[in-house]
Amino acid sequence: MNIHTLVQLLVVIEECTKPENVVEELQRAVRSYGFEYYGLLRHLRQSQDPWSLVLAGHWPEKWPQTYVAKKYVLIDPTVRYLAQAQRPFRWKESLAAYRRDPHQRRMEQMMADAHAHGLRDGYIFPIHGKSGVLGNLSVGGGPVELSPVEISLFETVARKAFWRLLDLKGEAKSLESASLLDMSLTRRELEILHYLADGLTSMEISKVLSISNHTVDWYMNGLQDKLKAKNRQQAVALAFRHGLVM
């Protein structure tokens, strides 16, 4: 019955003429599987506010505030793992992937905090474009066992809902053009670009990333060349214009 719900949703989403209709249908399907919470988001990078990138979602009360206040976005294992994942994965898989990471203790603290808010288990379904990950659907709450077929269907639903929402909002083309530029920037360049957009100096960025000040400047010179910017200020302005930072 649930698999039928997902298959039917793929047809219904295509027929929706308003963004709110897509959200309603997606939420109905997610809850039919017993997931209490979900979020359909544009791709999140470290240093960004995740809640500004939500296209649709419902999370536990006070969790968004806790997540931002404790700066979990900087160490969130699900966000980090999403950047390299080629397939859907369970939240706990991402934590296991960083067992020897220097931020492991903070990651475990974040997961324990999420558990205390009712986010005990869940899945993430990446949405890929030509340049890599463009977004994801995260579903969770209590433990739910999905079969391989259901995981595959959820991944298809995530992709369909993501692009349908952007299309109805008139944002699909801008995301596609931004992703093409995004493709030419390395992960480290994007990371430095976001810290720069947050107002950090080269020295401050070097301390956050544990690299030398000269290395940061080297990456910045490469960024300016790729963005065809005359200076750092223009590089940040162009990054905002192309949707590389928000």
Side-chain angles (χ1 to χ4, degrees), residues 14-202:
E14 197 62 42
E15 297 175 346
C16 288
T17 57
K18 296 180 180 179
E20 54 266 32
N21 297 145
V22 177
V23 174
E24 289 171 5
E25 295 297 339
L26 176 61
Q27 184 166 290
R28 184 179 295 114
V30 167
R31 288 182 173 172
S32 75
Y33 264 87
F35 293 112
E36 302 166 70
Y37 308 107
Y38 78 101
L40 183 63
L41 300 85
R42 295 172 184 266
H43 183 40
L44 171 66
R45 300 186 184 88
Q46 292 176 334
S47 85
Q48 281 185 299
D49 172 12
W51 315 112
S52 68
L53 304 175
V54 174
L55 294 173
H58 172 66
W59 296 107
E61 185 180 1
K62 296 184 179 180
W63 173 242
Q65 296 92 322
T66 299
Y67 189 92
V68 171
K70 295 188 177 183
K71 298 182 179 179
Y72 283 148
V73 69
L74 297 175
I75 51 87
D76 189 338
T78 65
V79 174
R80 294 179 63 182
Y81 196 58
L82 184 62
Q84 65 189 60
Q86 298 299 316
R87 58 174 181 78
F89 59 90
R90 214 158 181 166
W91 292 349
K92 59 186 177 184
E93 288 181 50
S94 65
L95 185 60
Y98 296 104
R99 284 176 179 166
R100 297 182 179 180
D101 191 277
H103 299 294
Q104 180 193 7
R105 185 169 295 181
R106 279 272 290 153
M107 291 180 183
E108 292 175 346
Q109 179 187 342
M110 191 207 88
M111 288 300 203
D113 218 343
H115 191 284
H117 280 79
L119 297 168
R120 291 168 287 164
D121 193 13
Y123 298 79
I124 287 186
F125 304 91
I127 299 162
H128 293 93
K130 293 179 180 179
S131 64
V133 180
L134 297 181
N136 75 86
L137 171 66
S138 183
V139 297
V144 174
E145 296 297 328
L146 295 178
S147 70
V149 172
E150 289 168 326
I151 289 174
S152 180
L153 279 172
F154 256 107
E155 184 178 20
T156 304
V157 163
R159 186 167 56 250
K160 177 72 74 172
F162 180 81
W163 286 110
R164 187 58 181 155
L165 273 175
L166 288 178
D167 189 37
L168 291 173
K169 291 172 177 284
E171 300 174 8
K173 289 185 179 180
S174 62
L175 179 61
E176 288 172 339
S177 62
S179 68
L180 290 175
L181 178 58
D182 191 7
M183 178 170 52
S184 68
L185 300 183
T186 67
R187 184 177 177 184
R188 179 66 91 187
E189 286 174 334
L190 284 167
E191 200 170 25
I192 288 175
L193 185 59
H194 279 87
Y195 283 125
L196 190 68
D198 284 341
L200 274 65
T201 64
S202 291

Side-chain angles (χ1 to χ4, degrees), residues 202-203 205-207 209-218:
S202 291
M203 187 65 71
I205 294 173
S206 69
K207 290 180 180 178
L209 299 178
S210 298
I211 58 179
S212 73
N213 185 31
H214 295 298
T215 302
V216 173
D217 289 336
W218 182 82

